[in-house]
Amino acid sequence: RRVHGEFNQVHFTLTIISPPTRNMVQPEASSTPVSGRRQPQPDQAKAYSLADDVFAEPVSPWNDRHDSTFIVLNKRETPEAATTDAIGLSDDYLSILRHIPEEDPHRDGLQKTPHRAAKAMMFFTSGYAMDLKRDILNNAIFKENHDEMVIVKDIDMFSLCEHHLVPFYGRVHIGYLPKSSVIGISKLARLVEMFSRRLQIQERLTREIAQVLMDAVGARGVGVVVEASHMCMVMRGVQKLNAVTVTSCMLGEFRKNHKTREEFLSLIGKSAGRR
């Protein structure tokens, strides 16, 4: 099928939906055919747009005259292109608001809340759409005769707990022993972003960062320490404001050689012990 419009280096998501869902309004039979297709009325096209702060322009459907399959072209903002259908997600947030007792989802302060929340969730989970080679490494691995420890510490981290969908946040400390290659140091922070912008638990987040770095660089060893505060322990449940969770993953020489491990821990020790 043909898709009309210019892309101009903007991320697009093409969704084919059949039969039409509740989020879509089928064009009336009286619509005037244009180039073999029937276009919806202007007010119908606007129904697909969440808000100006979500899409740069309204999302428009075209109905093929030979069948009932709809084609929807969603124009996403960059770099916040997400994999979730923002329209359906906005409807789901509206449903949540409707189920909160004594709350009116149509009052002024909440009218755009479903749209804003959908956009925020798309950003919070944008790590799923990131490609390791294209978006993270980006040819930033270099041959270098350096065999001493490389550490980047105090990398800010924000993620969503997959159990309660509330944030946990803190800092990540990463160290590795190069073998014959080094990685651009900013890529370590981007690795953290890739895996933290997903539904996560801290233990898995720590392991994923370490394993991917180990494989990407071919390092002799990798050490990762994450320290974080979990809002599921602060805002609800046990409500412990000062609890900090610390996880670590040691691979290669960091696991086998206690002196290497101790050197790494001592070098991050000041930051690891600071609130």
Side-chain angles (χ1 to χ4, degrees):
R1 300 180 185 276
R2 293 178 299 166
V3 176
H4 301 280
E6 297 182 0
F7 286 74
N8 294 329
Q9 297 181 347
V10 179
H11 286 252
F12 284 81
T13 299
L14 179 64
T15 306
I16 298 178
I17 305 175
S18 179
T21 68
R22 60 190 175 91
N23 294 323
M24 307 186 70
V25 182
Q26 185 169 356
E28 297 179 359
S30 60
S31 299
T32 303
V34 178
S35 302
R37 296 183 183 275
R38 291 178 297 174
Q39 292 195 5
Q41 301 299 321
D43 59 333
Q44 292 174 324
K46 291 180 181 178
Y48 290 84
S49 177
L50 293 181
D52 290 341
D53 62 345
V54 179
F55 297 127
E57 59 188 25
V59 180
S60 302
W62 289 272
N63 186 13
D64 191 290
R65 62 179 178 175
H66 299 298
D67 57 45
S68 60
T69 299
F70 282 80
I71 297 180
V72 179
L73 186 63
N74 290 350
K75 182 176 180 180
R76 306 295 190 188
E77 295 179 336
T78 55
E80 298 180 9
T83 57
T84 307
D85 180 357
I87 299 174
L89 189 57
S90 176
D91 289 344
D92 292 336
Y93 276 114
L94 178 59
S95 178
I96 291 174
L97 292 177
R98 286 172 175 164
H99 285 83
I100 298 177
E102 307 300 326
E103 188 53 88
D104 177 14
H106 300 294
R107 64 181 175 85
D108 288 346
L110 293 179
Q111 285 184 5
K112 289 189 177 182
T113 295
H115 309 324
R116 298 187 188 102
K119 181 182 177 183
M121 181 58 73
M122 291 165 63
F123 178 74
F124 295 155
T125 57
S126 59
Y128 291 112
M130 293 182 183
D131 180 82
L132 178 63
K133 291 184 178 180
R134 182 190 67 236
D135 301 323
I136 308 301
L137 301 181
N138 195 23
N139 298 319
I141 297 179
F142 312 101
K143 295 292 184 180
E144 187 66 38
N145 185 24
H146 180 82
D147 60 359
E148 297 296 330
M149 192 176 299
V150 178
I151 296 176
V152 178
K153 60 183 182 179
D154 291 324
I155 302 171
D156 292 328
M157 177 276 299
F158 303 88
S159 190
L160 282 182
C161 167
E162 67 181 32
H163 300 145
H164 301 98
L165 297 184
V166 294
F168 66 94
Y169 64 94
R171 290 164 297 164
V172 181
H173 316 288
I174 303 175
Y176 73 99
L177 277 173
K179 187 175 183 180
S180 58
S181 301
V182 296
I183 187 172
I185 56 176
S186 68
K187 305 307 178 184
L188 300 180
R190 294 192 183 279
L191 271 179
V192 174
E193 289 185 354
M194 176 179 178
F195 289 110
S196 62
R197 290 179 182 171
R198 302 180 179 191
L199 303 183
Q200 276 286 13
I201 60 173
Q202 185 173 330
E203 296 88 340
R204 183 171 67 240
L205 171 64
T206 309
R207 184 181 68 252
E208 286 177 338
I209 295 170
Q211 190 62 62
V212 166
L213 178 59
M214 185 80 169
D215 296 339
V217 184
R220 291 183 291 139
V222 170
V224 176
V225 173
V226 178
E227 46 181 347
S229 297
H230 291 248
M231 290 298 98
C232 58
M233 288 183 61
V234 175
M235 300 173 63
R236 57 164 297 283
V238 295
Q239 300 181 48
K240 301 303 180 185
L241 302 181
N242 298 316
V244 176
T245 301
V246 180
T247 52
S248 68
C249 181
M250 305 292 173
L251 301 176
E253 288 297 317
F254 283 74
R255 175 179 287 270
K256 294 185 294 184
N257 191 326
H258 74 276
K259 290 185 177 180
T260 301
R261 184 167 60 251
E262 288 176 359
E263 179 184 356
F264 169 63
L265 293 175
S266 66
L267 289 172
I268 68 170
K270 291 182 180 180
S271 61
R274 187 180 69 243
R275 290 291 316 286

